[in-house]
Amino acid sequence: MLNNNKPYFTVEDASRIALELYGLSVEARTLPGERDCNFHLKTGTGQELLLKIAPAVEQLETIDLQNKALEHLAAYDRALLLPHVYPTTEGKTIGTVINAYGTTHFLRILTYIPGKVLAETRPHTPELLYSLGSLMGTIDSALQDFTHPAAHRTLKWDLQHTSWIHDYLHYIDQPEHREIVKHFLTQFETHALPLLPTLRMSVIHNDANDYNVLVDDTGAGARRVVSVLDFGDMVNTYTICELAIACAYTMLHKSDPIAAAAHIISGYHKAFALSEAEIEVLYLLICARLCISVVNSAYQQKVEPENDYLLISEQPAWTLLEQLVNVHPRLAHYTFRSACQLMPCPNNNAVIDWLENNTHNIGHVVEPDLQVVKNVVFDLSMGSRELGNLTELSDVEMFTRQLFDRMRVERSQVGIGRYNEARPIYTSDQYKLAGNDGPEWRTIHIGLDIFMEADTPILAPLDGVVHSFRNNDSPLDYGPTIILQHTVSHNETQLLFYTLYGHLSADSLEGLYEGKPISLGTPFCKIGNYPINGGWPPHLHFQIITDLLDRIGEFPGVARPSQREVWLSICPDPNLIAGIPPESFPEDDLSIEEIRKEREEHVGKSLSISYQKPLKIVRGSMQYLYDEDGRAYLDAVNNVSHVGHCHPRVVRAGQEQMAVLNTNTRYLHDNLVRYASRLCATLPEPLSVCFFVCSGSEANELALRLARTHTQRKDLIVVDVAYHGNTTSLIEISPYKFDGPGGTGAPPYVHKVPKPDVYRGEYKQNDLHAGVKYARYVERAIQEVQNNGSEVAAFICESLLGCAGQIVLPRHYLNEAYSHIRNAGGVCIADEVQVGFGRVGTHF
């Protein structure tokens, strides 16, 4: 089954074959391949072709299958960019060649599809992966009505025959690796194999691995998958195997392989809808393909140790299998359902339906009744004002005092922490995970918090039994935790779900055992105190769980934003049991789509939005900005944040002053002159007078007025690509604006000089006189102004060029330029809005 009989031909052979059979004079180079001998051909006119010489054992019917499939796909959709068969001089689509040993081989020439293989393309953006799924879905949709006798063959890569690897497991050298394959093989045979006969079948490509997938690499727009190569593994099998193979290879080298697969699945489902049964077996088929790959590689190392192509995916495949061992199959299944716009956890709807229709069978979680008692709903979200600048739980006692003081002020026994809330207190490294697009934090709270005094009794809201319990005593974990199991009748079936109670007292676990009955209304545990409760303010974390995913005594209480819909499906709103009136909760924040719609209606379009996928920034702390889900962004973009965002000392000083006085300079005050004195002490002696303004644009406007008033002139010299502000007069002297989109060019009184860029400009870094040479452009500009009968009022230049490219000026540039300007009677303006005032550290 594993014998390849791969042909051997040289590039000289390839050139000879092309000439003799196709009349083509070509240059040939070898391409990799598992079974076929492949060559890239290039004619004298630049035409590119692909020569494929099949193994001696390859049947004519199998090659005809590939040709007919390509013809069928071309007829289905002319927009599909797939290879076409190039006929021989005799008009044949399949030729023959005899090797040096007298063995006959079939061969073909196909049109060559340009592009870059997916394996060598980075990054794998969600859009790129979606396009792969979309292409494979389109191909499979087209092949639904395609048949060919040769497609009904037995092939080692056909996933329905995965069990053949049983007999080859001994070729895997490492015992731990053998155990991984055995694990996934058991999963496949137990849970997938019985379902396969119920699924649709068709002819599929069957080998969309990352070296067979081509990406448009022209640089025009976003990268997308444009073609798939090598139809040599085509077979009639279960259609879902196509998607499993595409996912398996694209999940390689990913921090979050399940998320990568979800993007492919989403694109495929949009092009060619999947059934729920197909989605159910998909994850296990992905793992099966990886197992076949590593077993095949282990065997081939013994048979063909010199064939490096066969080993390309082996180590990445082992790494991926080691990752997937830790992924619960049902969690992967739910993620894939979500990618197809289905309810992720199928049990969710039934649990919600039962709870909504059985409110009379649900008791209280605590006393007093949360449905009627006055409570305080805390805002613990990313944009919360009451949390101040708290970006992680660093001072539990302060946090506790803050919450309970609010409850006392509002005379409430109960405080509520909301479900489905992204929180800044979960942004420490403990909640940090590696994602495919950088780090991600588990910030989404998927339970309900009930803040009450320590030792407050917790009541069972439903009849149940103890499923499991544990003291999760790691810092900021649950502490003592109990999970109850509930079994109810729903639509003539038994429905199973769970409730979790975290942050309990130590004695809450005493006397418990798995299976212990807990009747509705029974006080069975108590709210714990700091630090026994995991290190939190006294409260109950209450959570509904529709699928425990085989966990014991613990379950995630916060989720990654990218997996939000999946985890909200597994853990529906606990208020279905708690019963807090909806009017107690504040209105939801606006979504990104709602904000964009409002901006389009009420905000000028000149206030542009950055990035194709806009960021909703709701919090800043020091050098970071945080979006609504708690993802931290190092702020290298926001204008002139001198000491970072929300610096505690600055915030405190502002609060203290605003509580006393907030007026203007027409009155006398100590702080005004003290500040001016401290500021002037940092400046050279001639600079001793301060004007206080509200913005950088206002500062540069004032500088222009001062210069023009002093000189009684109007002409200005500016540096190319400079930006000095957004008022009308400053846009007129900013090449970044007047030469940019919507600009009308420089006014007659504004004169540009080249930017002194020693990396890309006329004079380079190794030229010791570059600064002096660039300054001569200023001297020439002065002469041109004077030749036209005017005089220069001022030269304005940033001390470090910002919009022009973050350029450090060459030595002596400003000294020389300033000297030229002053000799002409002009004023030198140093625009340090961006780089001055302490932003260059000790150089200030």
Side-chain angles (χ1 to χ4, degrees), residues 164 375 402 650:
W164 69 260
N375 58 59
Q402 187 174 321
V650 176

Side-chain angles (χ1 to χ4, degrees), residues 650-662:
V650 176
V651 171
R652 185 165 59 250
Q655 290 171 333
E656 291 172 355
Q657 184 58 53
M658 289 179 70
V660 176
L661 178 67
N662 182 17

Side-chain angles (χ1 to χ4, degrees), residues 729-744:
S729 59
L730 294 179
I731 287 174
E732 289 176 350
I733 68 167
S734 298
Y736 178 76
K737 286 292 187 180
F738 65 61
D739 286 338
T744 56

Side-chain angles (χ1 to χ4, degrees), residues 540-555:
L540 169 69
H541 174 93
F542 176 60
Q543 191 167 334
I544 301 174
I545 303 168
T546 57
D547 185 348
L548 263 178
L549 302 175
D550 300 323
R551 292 174 177 258
I552 302 294
E554 55 82 33
F555 198 80

Side-chain angles (χ1 to χ4, degrees), residues 232-262:
D233 282 344
M234 292 195 79
V235 68
N236 189 85
T237 187
Y238 298 104
T239 309
I240 188 60
C241 296
E242 184 87 278
L243 181 56
I245 294 163
C247 289
Y249 289 96
T250 314
M251 291 161 72
L252 301 173
H253 310 289
K254 300 297 190 298
S255 297
D256 188 348
I258 300 299

Side-chain angles (χ1 to χ4, degrees), residues 206-395:
N206 199 46
D207 194 18
N209 73 66
D210 50 348
Y211 282 89
N212 279 343
V213 172
L214 277 185
V215 175
D216 177 11
D217 198 41
T218 60
R223 284 175 169 172
R224 62 186 183 90
V225 170
V226 293
S227 189
V228 62
L229 308 176
D230 194 353
F231 284 68
D233 282 344
M234 292 195 79
V235 68
N236 189 85
T237 187
Y238 298 104
T239 309
I240 188 60
C241 296
E242 184 87 278
L243 181 56
I245 294 163
C247 289
Y249 289 96
T250 314
M251 291 161 72
L252 301 173
H253 310 289
K254 300 297 190 298
S255 297
D256 188 348
I258 300 299
H263 295 305
I264 302 169
I265 294 163
S266 180
Y268 187 98
H269 182 70
K270 181 71 173 178
F272 188 42
L274 297 164
S275 70
E276 293 193 36
E278 286 174 324
I279 300 169
E280 187 173 351
V281 300
L282 178 55
Y283 175 70
L284 297 178
L285 290 173
I286 291 171
C287 297
R289 175 66 177 213
L290 292 167
C291 289
I292 291 175
S293 180
V294 295
V295 170
N296 182 64
S297 292
Y299 173 78
Q300 295 296 347
Q301 287 183 59
K302 307 298 189 294
V303 178
E304 293 185 73
E306 74 288 349
N307 191 342
D308 293 336
Y309 176 76
L310 297 171
L311 310 178
I312 281 177
S313 300
E314 183 190 18
Q315 187 52 54
W318 279 123
T319 300
L320 178 54
L321 285 169
E322 289 166 354
Q323 289 175 278
L324 297 182
V325 162
N326 298 313
V327 174
H328 196 289
R330 290 201 298 278
L331 182 59
H333 174 210
Y334 300 160
T335 304
F336 295 169
R337 286 177 58 90
S338 181
C340 297
Q341 306 299 310
L342 298 172
M343 175 60 69
C345 180
N347 207 30
N348 175 278
N349 288 335
V351 171
I352 291 176
D353 184 61
W354 188 91
L355 291 171
E356 287 179 339
N357 289 286
N358 286 272
T359 54
H360 57 284
N361 292 324
I362 300 174
H364 303 163
V365 179
V366 293
E367 290 290 358
D369 184 357
L370 297 178
Q371 297 186 45
V372 297
V373 69
K374 175 180 172 60
N375 58 59
V376 177
V377 176
F378 295 120
D379 180 4
L380 306 179
S381 69
M382 292 305 305
S384 168
R385 293 183 180 181
E386 60 187 284
L387 284 178
N389 67 340
L390 185 67
T391 53
E392 59 180 69
L393 196 63
S394 55
D395 189 339

